[in-house]
Amino acid sequence: MVYQPITRELKTGEQVVTPPKQTIPETVSDLADSLGFTTRESREWLTLTRDLLLDKRQIILQGPPGTGKTFVAQALSRFLTRDRSRVTLVQFHPATAYEDFVQGLRPKPDTSGHFELRNGPLMEVAERARRDPDHLYVLVIDEINRANLPAVFGELYFLLEYRNEEVTLNYGDRFTLPKNLLLIGTMNTADRSIAAIDAALRRRFMIRDLRPGEPPMLDVLDEWVKDRAPELEWLGRLLDEANKIIGDRDQAVGPSHFLMPTDHLSEQNAQRAWNFTVMPTLRELFYGQPDRVARLEFDALKAAVGIDSTDAETD
């Protein structure tokens, strides 16, 4: 949700600039500060989310695009593990299979016509967690609902519910899911072409919402611009107005589109982000409704919240 410095190879003679080392927050309050969660309700949301994850061991963060689901998942993972090397991130897509995620036969690169059994990221991180029972490990599954989950998860349906039990995997190995391995999934609610996760898997995960206009997203954009570009304080109202016009919690626009670095945070760049990342989706969503699309244009939204071009130039 927050842009990070980009490192590059420097040419001879250029000064080496070392990006500031990111520290892991010490307390939940520090974690909330790093995420821009400033209100009591937002901090309570974060505390409860942490507690639910530690209790159930698996959780899904769901919401429309731009609500920082993956960013929050990674930040929470680093906070709980206290070590970035104990956090593994994978992203599902329609072609993801059991053999990619759990375990499967793959061609041997040096022997034509021969195959070998290879572990996927789930098996690898589970084995690392098993060898290190005193520390937590987290597997973040981004876009969890883009894959055919019953086919990808296989025996994990059972193991997610019974962490003390052992099952036989498809290829014959006996396997348990370590108690110190946590799973965090992220799920986009806006793409109606993606099937919702089935009830059997849903009841094995705690579900937490990240939605514009609700904690913990309620205050993120306002706090961001207040500290960096107070003349753009109306961006939060503009976003609220747009989501009222959209009228669908699953299709709402999240604040991440405007969470730019300070040197990029301007009305011009905010408008470009809206025109070229948000409006294409909204035009498709409201195809055949030109009046609604017109109300969602950046200048129309500015006028609706009482900001005209003169005001913006004066600011």
Side-chain angles (χ1 to χ4, degrees):
M1 195 158 57
V2 178
Y3 290 81
Q4 302 299 339
I6 298 176
T7 58
R8 64 180 178 86
E9 183 178 352
L10 297 176
K11 298 178 181 178
T12 304
E14 287 187 321
Q15 183 179 2
V16 176
V17 179
T18 303
K21 185 177 181 180
Q22 294 177 303
T23 59
I24 297 175
E26 294 293 331
T27 66
V28 177
S29 180
D30 294 337
L31 178 61
D33 290 339
S34 71
L35 294 171
F37 297 169
T38 59
T39 65
R40 177 178 57 82
E41 292 82 3
S42 295
R43 290 171 178 269
E44 289 175 351
W45 182 96
L46 184 61
T47 300
L48 179 57
T49 299
R50 176 206 58 181
D51 294 345
L52 291 173
L53 175 57
L54 292 175
D55 179 54
K56 188 74 171 179
R57 298 192 181 91
Q58 47 259 0
I59 199 168
I60 287 176
L61 305 179
Q62 67 174 12
T67 49
K69 299 178 291 295
T70 304
F71 185 82
V72 172
Q74 291 180 290
L76 182 58
S77 300
R78 292 190 292 265
F79 174 73
L80 291 174
T81 61
R82 313 305 305 167
D83 187 336
R84 296 169 188 272
S85 68
R86 293 197 283 266
V87 178
T88 300
L89 185 145
V90 298
Q91 187 178 69
F92 281 2
H93 52 81
T96 302
Y98 177 94
E99 289 76 12
D100 302 310
F101 182 56
V102 182
Q103 188 181 61
L105 293 174
R106 289 290 182 263
K108 295 186 70 172
D110 55 348
T111 308
S112 177
H114 288 72
F115 293 80
E116 61 184 357
L117 186 62
R118 293 185 191 172
N119 289 333
L122 183 279
M123 293 287 286
E124 291 179 352
V125 69
E127 184 56 34
R128 291 178 61 204
R130 198 185 328 278
R131 294 195 304 264
D132 187 16
D134 294 332
H135 296 99
L136 289 175
Y137 285 73
V138 178
L139 176 61
V140 178
I141 307 173
D142 197 35
E143 304 285 2
I144 190 172
N145 58 327
R146 287 191 175 272
N148 180 353
L149 292 180
V152 173
F153 271 68
E155 305 86 358
L156 292 183
Y157 268 54
F158 177 83
L159 293 175
L160 289 171
E161 192 166 12
Y162 300 101
R163 291 282 183 123
N164 294 320
E165 300 293 333
E166 186 180 64
V167 298
T168 301
L169 300 178
N170 280 352
Y171 295 92
D173 290 344
R174 301 291 291 174
F175 179 68
T176 59
L177 203 57
K179 292 183 177 180
N180 60 325
L181 174 59
L182 311 178
L183 276 71
I184 303 178
T186 71
M187 187 169 76
N188 177 8
T189 60
D191 192 342
R192 299 288 166 78
S193 68
I194 303 173
I197 60 176
D198 62 70
L201 187 63
R202 185 175 288 273
R203 71 181 178 84
R204 287 165 168 80
F205 282 79
M206 293 293 188
I207 309 294
R208 296 292 278 159
D209 285 330
L210 281 158
R211 299 183 185 275
E214 302 175 15
M217 289 289 101
L218 184 62
D219 52 327
V220 169
L221 181 56
D222 289 341
E223 290 299 319
W224 184 263
V225 298
K226 182 177 73 174
D227 293 339
R228 295 163 177 82
E231 70 278 5
L232 300 179
E233 56 81 24
W234 47 269
L235 279 178
R237 289 183 281 132
L238 182 146
L239 195 60
D240 291 341
E241 179 67 18
N243 287 329
K244 288 179 184 177
I245 297 171
I246 293 169
D248 185 336
R249 293 172 71 242
D250 288 337
Q251 300 288 343
V253 180
S256 294
H257 301 285
F258 296 140
L259 301 185
M260 306 171 187
T262 303
D263 58 350
H264 285 79
L265 191 53
S266 67
E267 180 180 347
Q268 182 186 57
N269 286 335
Q271 184 166 6
R272 286 176 176 175
W274 187 263
N275 289 344
F276 301 113
T277 63
V278 178
M279 283 306 297
T281 300
L282 295 181
R283 290 191 185 100
E284 182 177 348
L285 178 64
F286 297 117
Y287 180 78
Q289 303 179 54
D291 291 343
R292 182 178 287 192
V293 171
R295 293 171 61 199
L296 288 167
E297 296 289 354
F298 195 82
D299 287 338
L301 291 170
K302 279 176 56 182
V305 298
I307 302 295
D308 59 30
S309 299
T310 303
D311 293 334
E313 291 171 3
T314 301
D315 289 341

